[in-house]
Amino acid sequence: MSEHVYKHLEVTGSSPNGMDAAIRNAVRTAGQTVRNMHWFEVTDTRGHIVDGDVAHWQVTVKIGFTLEK
């Protein structure tokens, strides 16, 4: 296994379509400007309630990416 050094980035994605969509939005958007992403960890989950029902999800993820040498 090669030796990697990782840096962590924390972002929050949101979606009215569930936690999975919020995570994917966060990772996809981060990937537009961050190279070498390898993993993510969900660190926080929140939701917005409207009229007694879940209306929106917010999920904070920590993304690990390798530093270039």
Side-chain angles (χ1 to χ4, degrees), residues 10-15 18-27 40-47 56-62:
E10 190 171 83
V11 295
T12 301
S14 63
S15 176
M19 291 188 304
D20 183 68
I23 293 167
R24 290 178 186 279
N25 286 341
V27 171
F40 73 89
E41 172 187 356
V42 174
T43 59
D44 194 21
T45 306
R46 292 178 298 283
H56 209 87
W57 292 88
Q58 290 183 332
V59 180
T60 301
V61 295
K62 187 183 296 183

Side-chain angles (χ1 to χ4, degrees), residues 1-61:
M1 177 177 216
S2 59
E3 296 178 359
H4 294 290
V5 174
Y6 290 93
K7 183 163 179 68
H8 301 175
L9 167 71
E10 190 171 83
V11 295
T12 301
S14 63
S15 176
N17 299 317
M19 291 188 304
D20 183 68
I23 293 167
R24 290 178 186 279
N25 286 341
V27 171
R28 188 178 307 114
T29 302
Q32 293 174 1
T33 57
V34 177
R35 294 186 305 275
N36 304 320
M37 296 189 308
H38 292 282
W39 56 266
F40 73 89
E41 172 187 356
V42 174
T43 59
D44 194 21
T45 306
R46 292 178 298 283
H48 183 199
I49 300 170
V50 175
D51 296 327
D53 199 6
V54 175
H56 209 87
W57 292 88
Q58 290 183 332
V59 180
T60 301
V61 295

